[in-house]
Amino acid sequence: MTDDTTVRSLVVEPGAAPERLDRVLARGFADLSRARLQALARDGFVRCDDVEIRDPSRKVMGGSRIEVVVPAPAPAEPRGEALPLTVVHEDDDLIVIDKPAGLVVHPAAGHEDGTLVNRLIAHCGESLSGIGGVRRPGIVHRLDKDTSGLLVVAKNDLAHQGLSAQFADHGRSGALERAYLALVWGVPEPRAGTISASLARSRHNREKIAVVREGEGRHAVTHYRVEGLPGGDGLTALVRCRLETGRTHQIRVHLSHRGHPLLGDATYGAAFKTKAARLGEAPRAALTALGRQALHAAELGFLHPRTGERLRFASSLPEDFSRLLAALER
């Protein structure tokens, strides 16, 4: 065994009814995911009364002593890169980042280096105790490359499970809160409401998401409220969006579907390029300088996966977004 390998044990309550091994392990070692424990069993790292058990579904009896060898987390596949990060909060279980526009979250073709994951691996170092046995950050939600704002990342299995459950619930239970600020063309009517429209990959362009008939895609709900009318001319509006579901490009597609695409959104607002000609010189220059969709993840709230404490964070508008808003308001 290496120095970082640990041996953990538990004794099943005497007289307890026979129960699947993986269920007993999941209850006894809540900081490890059930999938991780099943994998350890299949790889020969679990013994029951000194007998190796490789079948996670095998029943174990009350009074049995179970021993689990937990190897040290494997090194992360992406390499760590000591590049800047804006850390809003960090503890032993998770880290909250204020992501700048232009930063890709996860390595992929064309973006193998310089991503948020590369930076987190370098920043967190040994505090990453492993997601599924690999020393890597647990990404439970993402922001588009050109969307700025708050994002929470898990450092270990316990945090990954707890945060993933909250994001899977999409805030229906009230635990998760996500709010975004967007600058859109025109003024949505009514000024506050809900957009409920299913989303799926476009059949014509796989890079885009499209609204589809109910039952054909993934259910998606966005609550919105007009926060302001910069310039007072009705040409643009500042809109606060609260997500009930978290689909790819959800806010951008929903608002475009309603006829109010985001300023600077080349993918879903291309038909509105001519509207920029109606802006004054300063707003046009600020919009060109923005060079992205005007969308910012401004608020994030969730329950801490270990302590149950409610955490809430807020992020101010980044400089490029603020300059555009100020120019529109003159």
Side-chain angles (χ1 to χ4, degrees):
M1 291 186 196
T2 66
D3 291 341
D4 292 330
T5 298
T6 60
V7 180
R8 303 174 65 174
S9 63
L10 62 82
V11 176
V12 182
E13 183 181 352
E19 190 175 10
R20 284 176 57 118
L21 172 66
D22 55 359
R23 290 178 182 167
V24 173
L25 293 175
R27 191 167 56 248
F29 306 117
D31 59 319
L32 298 174
S33 68
R34 188 166 174 177
R36 170 69 169 142
L37 291 164
Q38 289 172 335
L40 287 173
R42 294 190 189 100
D43 291 341
F45 290 104
V46 177
R47 299 177 69 84
C48 180
D49 294 330
D50 293 326
V51 177
E52 185 178 284
I53 300 182
R54 289 179 176 259
D55 180 3
S57 66
R58 180 171 167 178
K59 299 288 183 67
V60 295
M61 308 297 292
S64 298
R65 178 180 176 81
I66 300 175
E67 203 170 74
V68 180
V69 176
V70 183
E77 287 297 328
R79 64 187 181 90
E81 295 179 84
L83 296 170
L85 276 178
T86 301
V87 178
V88 177
H89 170 86
E90 183 174 9
D91 58 39
D92 290 342
D93 297 298
L94 56 88
I95 182 169
V96 178
I97 299 297
D98 199 338
K99 185 186 89 67
L103 178 60
V104 174
V105 171
H106 205 280
H111 296 286
E112 291 85 0
D113 301 308
T115 70
L116 178 63
V117 166
N118 294 112
R119 298 175 190 217
L120 285 168
I121 289 171
H123 172 85
C124 297
E126 293 301 309
S127 68
L128 293 173
S129 65
I131 307 294
V134 179
R135 198 180 294 282
R136 61 185 172 88
I139 304 298
V140 295
H141 69 125
R142 301 189 187 195
L143 296 177
D144 296 339
K145 173 191 172 187
D146 290 326
T147 297
S148 54
L150 297 167
L151 185 142
V152 61
V153 178
K155 288 185 175 184
N156 53 48
D157 267 333
L158 182 145
H160 194 250
Q161 291 178 77
L163 291 171
S164 294
Q166 292 181 59
F167 276 87
D169 181 65
H170 300 302
R172 296 186 186 95
S173 66
L176 181 69
E177 303 171 51
R178 282 181 291 174
Y180 294 70
L181 288 174
L183 277 169
V184 305
W185 291 111
V187 182
E189 293 291 349
R191 299 290 179 92
T194 298
I195 304 171
S196 180
S198 295
L199 302 177
R201 287 281 172 189
S202 169
R203 295 175 181 175
H204 307 292
N205 182 347
R206 298 301 293 173
E207 298 299 313
K208 296 178 69 174
I209 304 297
V211 169
V212 295
R213 287 183 295 183
E214 199 68 34
E216 291 187 359
R218 303 185 73 185
H219 180 62
V221 179
T222 303
H223 304 284
Y224 72 89
R225 183 178 71 237
V226 174
E227 295 277 280
L229 301 176
D233 53 10
L235 188 59
T236 62
L238 179 65
V239 178
R240 183 181 188 274
C241 298
R242 182 174 64 81
L243 292 183
E244 186 174 310
T245 57
R247 311 304 183 199
T248 301
H249 299 180
Q250 179 175 314
I251 292 174
R252 298 165 63 190
V253 178
H254 270 177
L255 288 171
S256 179
H257 176 65
R258 288 287 290 268
H260 302 285
L262 276 60
L263 271 67
D265 193 337
T267 302
Y268 300 106
F272 282 69
K273 281 185 177 179
T274 55
K275 282 223 174 191
R278 295 174 58 189
L279 297 174
E281 183 179 344
R284 283 202 308 273
L287 179 56
T288 300
L290 182 75
R292 64 178 180 99
Q293 66 267 8
L295 184 62
H296 179 65
E299 299 172 23
L300 177 63
F302 53 89
L303 299 182
H304 194 284
R306 186 180 299 274
T307 68
E309 177 188 2
R310 180 170 291 282
L311 301 177
R312 285 190 179 92
F313 304 97
S315 169
S316 300
L317 289 175
E319 187 176 349
D320 58 353
F321 196 125
S322 293
R323 279 200 303 266
L324 174 57
L325 182 58
L328 290 167
E329 290 175 335
R330 288 175 189 156

